[in-house]
Amino acid sequence: PDFLINQNIVLEVYGDYWHCNPNIFPDGPSGRQIKIAERDRIKEAFYKSSGYKLIVLWESEIENSSNLVYLLGDKLAPLIGNNKGIIA
């Protein structure tokens, strides 16, 4: 993983092109993206089967976010049972 948030939450940061962001590439991966997308699926299945919760931050989410802390908080809140978010 790119980051281990705590004992059961993993954070992966994916580039839009190489990891084939489905919001940008709705037809799925092609060319060299195929191998990376398959590797991502294997990693994600491993995390899930090992009891980890996965957060994926996409390159475009980070670039378009005015506040990365709030973006991450919004992604973390549902995983830690805090529906109001973790940022005060």
Side-chain angles (χ1 to χ4, degrees):
D2 290 324
F3 300 95
L4 185 61
I5 303 288
N6 67 19
Q7 294 159 335
N8 69 340
I9 299 176
V10 170
L11 171 66
E12 290 280 357
V13 179
Y14 287 171
D16 290 329
Y17 178 78
W18 291 112
H19 294 271
C20 195
N21 184 338
N23 295 322
I24 296 173
F25 299 96
D27 295 332
S30 63
R32 293 178 63 192
Q33 293 172 318
I34 293 170
K35 186 175 183 178
I36 295 169
E38 179 60 24
R39 186 182 68 208
D40 291 342
R41 281 191 291 275
I42 292 168
K43 282 193 313 184
E44 291 167 9
F46 171 77
Y47 295 147
K48 185 176 181 180
S49 69
S50 299
Y52 290 97
K53 297 174 185 176
L54 174 64
I55 296 172
V56 173
L57 287 180
W58 288 98
E59 172 187 2
S60 56
E61 287 181 301
I62 294 168
E63 288 177 349
N64 295 325
S65 175
S66 61
N67 190 320
L68 185 56
V69 173
Y70 282 104
L71 174 63
L72 186 54
D74 288 344
K75 298 253 182 180
L76 273 171
L79 299 180
I80 61 174
N82 182 352
N83 294 329
K84 296 179 182 175
I86 63 167
I87 307 299

